Amino acid sequence: MTHDIQIQLDGMNCAGCASRAEKALKAVNGIGSATVSIADHTARIDLSNAQMTDIRTALQNAGYPARETTLTLAIDDMTCAGCAGRVEKTLAALPGVTEATVNFADRSARISRLSGMVQIDDAIRAVRSAGYSASIPSDDMTDEDPAAIEVAQARWQMIIAAVLTLPVFVLEMGGHLFPMFHHWVHQTIGQDMSWTIQFVLTALVLIGPGAIFLRRGVPDLFKGRPDMNSLVAMGSLAAWGFSTIALFVPGVLPEGTRVVYFEAAAVIVTLILVGRWLEARARGQAGTAIRELARLQPQTALIETANGTRECQIAEVLVGDIVHLRPGERVAVDGVITASQSRIDESMITGEPGSVLRKSGDWITAGTINGSGALQYEARRVGSDTVLARIVAMVRQAQGAKLPIQSLADRVVSRFVPAVLLIAALTVLAWVTFGPEPTLVHALVAGVSVLITACPCAMGLATPTSIIVGTGRAAQLGVLFRKGEALQRLSEARVVAFDKTGTLTEGKPRVTDFVAKDGWSENTVLELVGAAEAQSEHPVARALTDYAKSRGVARGTASSVTAIEGLGLSAMVNGQSILVGSPRLMTEQGLDIDGLSDRIVAFQRAGRSVVLASVNGTICAAIGVADAIKQDAAAAIQRLHSMGLKTALITGDSTKAGQVVGDILGVSHVEAEVLPAGKKEAVDALRSKHGDVVFVGDGINDAPALAAADVGVAMGTGTDVAIESADVVLAAGRLSGVTTALELSKRTMTNIRQNLFWAFGYNVVLIPVAAGALYPAAGVLLSPMLAAGAMALSSVFVVTNALRLRRFRPATDTAQPETTPMAAPVAAE
């Protein structure tokens, strides 16, 4: 069977590229034919028996990756982990899907698909074909909360079941507890009438609130794909069916076996519904953090028009609109203040209490709270581009991730229900063959108990619930997981490496020293250097231009400005050739720096970055630039060491300047004079020596290292390129976020392991007990009612344990960083 598909490719720019991509595709096993067109950058493939993952890997290795998009669906009607596995398998089988992940905890599916393949309608139809409902999740947080709807439905089902079950339980079990009640029932309505009442009420429980188990469990059982609903349906129907026979046709049963278990069937359903209600409540609490974040977005904004101001829906605000912000209101969209000033509560971004003063020209973020001042600001980012919207999207994506540790649970769940059915059948057979009289009753009790005790739901909830709570709590603390897998990889880290400028330091360097060689005036050099550096966005360039401006030096006109990666830049200014950069750049260009070597050494000893300037091939000035170390840097490094981690500093600055910063902070290892391309190699070297590496950076030049590290952590105050290359983003740009991320990662993984231990241990211990393992020694058989209660509580235990992560507080370190001697000018030697 063949299947023709068309996918879009990236990275092609010539016919040779198309030829290489086509060759790579034809080498994949299972592809009948492949044609690549450079005109529209597409590949047409006869899929035959090829796997999408093989196609994706082949194109990536060839350098022409298939363009991929992500689709998220809300899945309804899933009642157990087996349901999630079935939906996941169905979606993964769609042509064009490279990966499908279904999260049972938050009832969502995330599908990675080749661009142009698998439309939303295709995915929804596939889910429906598997017996479940799917829809596009709403981003409008004013809609009624789906979790709240689920909790309400579960509560009503539980209440109805409990009302119907209570009389059944009292009629049957009341006599065991109070013999006088038993005699009273027999003397008034009689045993047969009592059993008839129990039959009617239990039937109502099964066809009413318990219908969810029958409606799904029985058809799936006959289709050869039994799930948790099948186990409950079989157990409750077995108890009800045996009891019905005992009531209406007792003659078909062996002598001495006329007993009824209506109360067991009713209580089984009721207790499991109680468990599902508690579980739904707990899962709803698990997603509280992300819902609270999303609801920080105001629904309306007051914008300025030609006819005055008017209030409009947030979706109507456009980039460039002037928005009026009244005291106490939340900021509607991201923008820049154009008039007035006020204190803004930015705790939703920084995680820190207190407000900061924002004035004209300052950036403000949607969702933050204005103080007592009235502001006007220009909208710069709206809709899904706001920081708040991006935070919500990142956290949602992370919460839908599947960690490597979950793979074992998935494999067990996929085989669990058939194994339980086999164990139940063997249990019944063993009791009928070897059990004491009445063997049929004992066999029924043991078989039903095995069916009801087994619980794959706890296994399915163990990992995703902890991820949802952990990543939600992290977002509240200003740590945003872009990729959920980072949650596990962080816990395995052995070394944390940092960029220097903008990461360990404030990223706002300033000129502290300016020494012009004899024959050159400071103003003349500043005029030339300022003109050249005005064309650069590098922090050191801004420091030089600010210094020239503060000295009142007129700026020349630069042309032919060329950045020299990691070293400096060259330019033509007023007809003269200008070179500005590090001593290494000057040496590589063959320029003599001996005349300023003493000053260079003195600057470096003081922790300065050294910038040299040359005009027409002659060194004319040495400039010392200092960047203050962040206040929390020393405490963060100290905390990492106390956690048993090694630290490293990877910088393009000189060895002496890098070592000064490293010594002040107590960094374990300093790697200096590293070009941007070399940071990847530095990360690889650390990994080979110490183990998994976390790299923390903020700039464009950090992107290769962030991507190469086992976990890349970007400062939220850094560049978009760095953020897109990272796995974790620190929204507030504070280094304490690194330790918070690591601590929360370890706590979450411990929580997951606890959940998995309980989920597996519960079944390993209780299934044999339910089968009757204790009967030979203690004469004890597990009651089906107790089995139902234990099964219901197992899932509740797992979710409740995960909810403990909501109380996570990062460890505080009161150690204050040392004051860095990087402010006063260096005295001449």
Side-chain angles (χ1 to χ4, degrees), residues 118 183-184 267 310 376 382 422-423 518 590 655 681 704 765 781:
V118 187
H183 295 308
W184 179 81
V267 171
R310 74 176 181 91
Q376 292 87 50
V382 300
L422 177 61
I423 293 171
D518 293 342
T655 300
E681 285 70 28
V765 171
L781 265 180

Side-chain angles (χ1 to χ4, degrees), residues 627-650:
D627 189 4
I629 293 175
K630 288 184 176 178
Q631 284 191 344
D632 62 344
I637 297 296
Q638 200 174 85
R639 177 63 185 153
L640 291 172
H641 289 166
S642 71
M643 295 168 68
L645 297 168
K646 295 186 179 297
T647 56
L649 169 59
I650 302 175

Side-chain angles (χ1 to χ4, degrees), residues 667-734:
V667 175
S668 310
H669 173 74
V670 176
E671 193 80 25
E673 300 185 27
V674 180
L675 296 177
K679 288 188 176 183
K680 178 182 180 299
E681 285 70 28
V683 167
D684 292 339
L686 286 170
R687 182 188 294 111
S688 64
K689 186 175 181 180
H690 300 292
D692 288 1
V693 177
V694 175
F695 183 82
V696 187
D698 75 311
I700 294 174
N701 59 351
D702 295 322
L706 288 166
D710 296 281
V711 180
V713 179
M715 312 303 282
T717 51
T719 64
D720 286 345
V721 174
I723 291 172
E724 290 300 319
S725 301
D727 305 299
V728 182
V729 178
L730 307 181
R734 282 197 297 273

Side-chain angles (χ1 to χ4, degrees), residues 408-432:
L408 174 62
D410 287 346
R411 289 197 297 271
V412 172
V413 167
S414 66
R415 298 169 175 82
F416 184 83
V417 174
V420 170
L421 291 174
L422 177 61
I423 293 171
L426 293 175
T427 297
V428 171
L429 181 62
W431 276 97
V432 169

Side-chain angles (χ1 to χ4, degrees), residues 596-613:
L596 289 170
S597 57
D598 290 343
R599 305 302 299 172
I600 293 171
V601 171
F603 291 167
Q604 290 175 342
R605 282 177 179 169
R608 307 282 199 271
S609 296
V610 181
V611 178
L612 299 181

Side-chain angles (χ1 to χ4, degrees), residues 97 148 157 248 252 361 457 523 592 652 673 702:
V97 171
Q157 288 178 335
F248 294 110
V252 303
C457 296
N523 285 358
D592 182 14
E673 300 185 27
D702 295 322

